[in-house]
Amino acid sequence: MLGVLKRLFVGRPLATTQMEEQRLPKTIALAVFSSDALSSTAYATEEILFVTALGASSLALGLSKLVPIAVVVCILLAIVIASYRQVIFAYPNGGGAYVVSRENIGEYAGLVAGASLMVDYVLTVAVSISAGVAAIISIPAFSGLADQRVPLGLALIVAITVANMRGVKESGRIFAIPTYVYMFILAALLVIGLGQAFFGDPSHVPFDARAFDGSLSSGGSLGIFLLLKGFSSGAVALTGVEAISNGVPAFRRPESKNAAATLVWMGVLLGTLFFGISVLAHHLKPYPSHDRTVMAQMGLAVFGNGPAFVVLQFATAAILTLAANTAYNGFPSLSSIVAKDGYLPRQLSHRGDRLVFSNGIIVLAAAAGGLLVAFNGLTNALIPLYAVGVFTSFTLSQWGMVRHHRRLRHPGWQRNVVLNSVGAVATLIVLLIVAITKFTSGAWVPIVVIPLIVLLFKGIRSHYDAVARDLRVPPEWKPPRRRHGVVVLVHDVDAGVLDALAYARSTAPDQLVALSVVADAQDAEQAEKAWQQREIDAPLEILRSASGDSTTATLRYLDELERRWPNTRVTVVIPELYVEHWWQQLLHNQSALVLKGRLLFRADTAVTSIPYGFVDAD
């Protein structure tokens, strides 16, 4: 039953020989890896206003600073794009900032970069989904769903998780169309809106004091602290830029060339759209509000409440939701690389039936869903947590590339050192601004969480190293000779028990004993009588457990056997009833399953299940 549902939602397994077919062309890769970065155009401008137009400041002051802040963000974007283009060619196997930092700075720098990126990816999903829900409820017809933010967000996470479990190429095709629709409708908004602003009769967003989250529409004061905090909010537009460098192996050959070209196109589109939105907002004068997004306000002002506005809102909701898809490609790929290095559970490095890192996808979905519930699905509550991780990885990546160029000294290395040094300083300054200005708003969370994740990485690696040391075989080592004892568990003297005894004898054990756990003297007498009637030539030992806890009684008996049978490895043979239909299993005792789970963690004990069959005649 579970297998049928899995095939229905996820699809049939793919052979590893089909891996090459799953690689992405640039057109689909742009949608897959750029959706996160492009989606930030829908809320980055609004987040600037939520800082610069509220409190002691005013809407007029906040709007006047949009364009200057956007210019600085775009300059920073150009530097980061140029740096990550170098990363793509230098490290074509993926891993981005994690690999760059690990190989050029050191282990701890790599772990900090990896932890930062993983936190960033989880936040990407949470922020994107919450912003997508905000866009949906900004449509007048769906405003009644405002109280259902969290259930809507969780439903969207489940949907996008299932889509990604179907494979990179298939999920890319699904998500490409909404991404391109968003780009075109946003471009139309900018062309029409800016055309009206500069050459026609511009229309302004009607101001609603009741919906405005601030207190002043004009006047007030805007100090350097609020300006820097507003800039740090706008800098979230750079999130997702690093995703292509993490997923280079997903591109068609030549991977590095195609990935670099896609990165440049993403940078051009992101910078143009973000700057255009900021200029348009400066002219249309929208205001920060939890009732209706800034994008929705500008859409109504330019398109009116007609089909174009509906397309804009649904496209915005789609791109914001699908922005999570960038994380669904980046997080599993990064976690697989970290897992191969021994800093995460090895299961995260294994591909699933559809040749994607299924375990990483599930971990990401669970973590993002938890964040969504914890912060009640509010985008501006999640944003302060967002930029710390991404700018930490940016800074480490840039500094790592400086050391990479100085070490290898390829042609033009001096120019690249200057570029990456400027980038490292710039992103470090942004990181400090974010950490300081938004510390009390929530930036302290990743500042605390990232070091804890690094400690988790080190703990996992220490475990794997300890296991490797314990299992290392010295040159002259030979396994010690040990005796073999078998314990056959008996409930009733039936076909299953007799078959299990026959199997136990076939292993030629040094000791063989049957064990029956009973509740009282009457059950013990019945067990002995049935054993004698069958004339079974194996000793039967009976334990009484008044509580009926056969698992604990069996474990105590095995402890006793360790003393009675020194230097002996014990095999516990468990007869288990086989039934044809899964639901029939619910009608039978699951004590054998519980016992096997307990024995799994017992040293020098092997467990063998002997199934005996029952097939329903119907």
Side-chain angles (χ1 to χ4, degrees):
M1 181 67 178
L2 293 176
V4 173
L5 290 174
K6 183 178 179 181
R7 296 292 165 260
L8 177 64
F9 288 104
V10 177
R12 295 184 178 278
L14 297 174
T16 53
T17 54
Q18 296 176 274
M19 194 69 204
E20 192 70 25
E21 300 172 17
Q22 295 299 302
R23 290 176 178 262
L24 301 174
K26 292 194 291 288
T27 51
I28 294 180
L30 180 63
V32 170
F33 288 103
S34 301
S35 55
D36 177 20
L38 293 176
S39 71
S40 62
T41 59
Y43 58 80
T45 300
E46 180 175 64
E47 291 305 316
I48 296 173
L49 285 178
F50 261 113
V51 174
T52 59
L54 303 185
S57 182
S58 66
L59 178 59
L61 276 175
L63 289 169
S64 70
K65 303 304 179 185
L66 273 181
V67 175
I69 289 175
V71 170
V72 178
V73 170
C74 288
I75 292 172
L76 186 63
L77 171 65
I79 295 172
V80 172
I81 290 289
S83 174
Y84 273 103
R85 190 174 182 277
Q86 295 175 13
V87 171
I88 287 171
F89 285 107
Y91 298 93
N93 292 325
Y98 166 70
V99 174
V100 174
S101 304
R102 184 196 64 196
E103 294 195 2
N104 296 286
I105 306 177
E107 178 190 20
Y108 278 98
L111 296 182
V112 170
S116 299
L117 283 170
M118 295 177 77
V119 168
D120 176 53
Y121 283 133
V122 172
L123 284 166
T124 292
V125 176
V127 169
S128 300
I129 295 296
S130 65
V133 171
I136 292 173
I137 62 178
S138 289
I139 301 172
F142 296 98
S143 59
L145 296 174
D147 293 334
Q148 305 299 320
R149 288 175 181 268
V150 173
L152 279 173
L154 293 177
L156 290 173
I157 287 178
V158 170
I160 201 169
T161 299
V162 171
N164 276 277
M165 293 286 281
R166 296 187 65 87
V168 175
K169 190 172 183 180
E170 187 164 342
S171 63
R173 286 173 174 168
I174 295 171
F175 300 145
I177 293 176
T179 302
Y180 282 107
V181 169
Y182 174 76
M183 285 191 284
F184 285 122
I185 193 66
L186 186 55
L189 175 71
L190 294 178
V191 170
I192 296 172
L194 292 176
Q196 292 174 349
F198 289 108
F199 306 108
D201 183 18
S203 56
H204 296 151
V205 171
F207 181 71
D208 186 348
R210 291 174 299 177
F212 177 43
D213 278 4
S215 56
L216 298 174
S217 59
S218 61
S221 60
L222 182 56
I224 185 65
F225 182 83
L226 281 182
L227 274 175
L228 291 175
K229 190 175 182 180
F231 165 71
S232 67
S233 294
V236 298
L238 274 67
T239 55
V241 167
E242 80 291 338
I244 291 178
S245 68
N246 291 328
V248 177
F251 284 78
R252 284 183 179 173
R253 302 179 191 276
E255 300 95 328
S256 295
K257 182 179 178 181
N258 289 331
T262 305
L263 178 67
V264 172
W265 272 109
M266 179 183 70
V268 171
L269 288 168
L270 174 59
T272 302
L273 294 176
F274 172 66
F275 184 73
I277 288 292
S278 298
V279 173
L280 183 61
H282 175 74
H283 287 280
L284 296 185
K285 296 179 173 50
Y287 52 89
S289 170
H290 285 105
D291 296 332
R292 181 166 292 167
T293 64
V294 164
M295 185 70 76
Q297 295 172 41
M298 294 194 296
L300 281 172
V302 174
F303 293 139
N305 193 9
F309 171 71
V310 174
V311 172
L312 173 67
Q313 286 306 102
F314 275 109
T316 302
I319 191 67
L320 288 169
T321 304
L322 300 184
N325 192 56
T326 297
Y328 274 90
N329 284 275
F331 183 95
S333 297
L334 175 62
S335 60
S336 73
I337 295 172
V338 177
K340 287 176 183 176
D341 289 341
Y343 295 105
L344 279 175
R346 296 276 166 78
Q347 298 93 319
L348 293 173
S349 66
H350 302 153
R351 293 185 183 271
D353 290 348
R354 300 290 293 182
L355 303 182
V356 294
F357 298 106
S358 307
N359 293 328
I361 290 174
I362 293 171
V363 170
L364 174 63
L371 267 181
L372 203 69
V373 172
F375 287 85
N376 203 31
L378 294 175
T379 306
N380 65 307
L382 289 161
I383 285 290
L385 286 67
Y386 203 8
V388 171
V390 69
F391 278 99
T392 299
S393 64
F394 283 169
T395 303
L396 290 171
S397 175
Q398 303 259 14
W399 177 239
M401 288 305 295
V402 169
R403 302 192 68 172
H404 170 83
H405 294 311
R406 294 184 64 184
R407 177 167 53 88
L408 298 181
R409 295 177 181 264
H410 290 312
W413 68 272
Q414 296 98 331
R415 179 190 67 248
N416 292 333
V417 164
V418 172
L419 173 65
N420 291 131
S421 297
V422 171
V425 172
T427 52
L428 176 60
I429 291 172
V430 176
L431 173 60
L432 294 174
I433 291 172
V434 172
I436 294 170
T437 62
K438 295 195 172 185
F439 186 84
T440 57
S441 302
W444 64 271
V445 175
I447 292 174
V448 171
V449 169
I450 289 171
L452 292 177
I453 295 176
V454 171
L455 291 177
L456 176 65
F457 286 164
K458 290 293 292 181
I460 292 172
R461 178 60 185 264
S462 296
H463 167 75
Y464 282 133
D465 287 344
V467 171
R469 285 194 302 270
D470 291 344
L471 298 180
R472 190 174 295 120
V473 181
E476 303 300 324
W477 184 86
K478 292 182 179 180
R481 177 169 177 75
R482 306 184 67 175
R483 296 170 65 82
H484 179 213
V486 178
V487 177
V488 180
L489 300 187
V490 176
H491 179 63
D492 294 317
V493 181
D494 53 22
V497 168
L498 297 178
D499 195 24
L501 284 167
Y503 169 81
R505 292 190 191 95
S506 71
T507 65
D510 297 295
Q511 291 101 358
L512 171 63
V513 66
L515 174 67
S516 179
V517 180
V518 299
D520 51 37
Q522 182 178 354
D523 289 342
E525 182 181 349
Q526 290 178 351
E528 288 181 353
K529 184 177 180 180
W531 204 256
Q532 292 170 358
Q533 287 177 343
R534 282 283 181 178
E535 298 182 348
I536 300 173
D537 60 346
L540 173 67
E541 298 198 15
I542 300 175
L543 292 180
R544 290 176 59 177
S545 175
S547 64
D549 187 357
S550 60
T551 297
T552 302
T554 301
L555 293 173
R556 285 202 303 265
Y557 177 78
L558 293 175
D559 290 337
E560 180 188 341
L561 278 188
E562 283 186 3
R563 295 185 289 272
R564 285 167 48 186
W565 296 350
N567 195 35
T568 300
R569 174 160 286 161
V570 176
T571 297
V572 179
V573 177
I574 305 176
E576 286 196 75
L577 180 66
Y578 163 79
V579 292
E580 184 177 12
H581 305 292
W582 67 268
W583 56 266
Q584 293 172 332
Q585 192 68 43
L586 302 176
L587 305 176
H588 298 277
N589 196 317
Q590 303 301 313
S591 58
L593 183 63
V594 175
L595 177 60
K596 286 192 291 185
R598 297 282 295 275
L599 291 175
L600 178 65
F601 302 99
R602 184 183 176 87
D604 294 327
T605 303
V607 181
T608 300
S609 293
I610 305 296
Y612 60 100
F614 166 76
V615 178
D616 195 339
D618 295 335

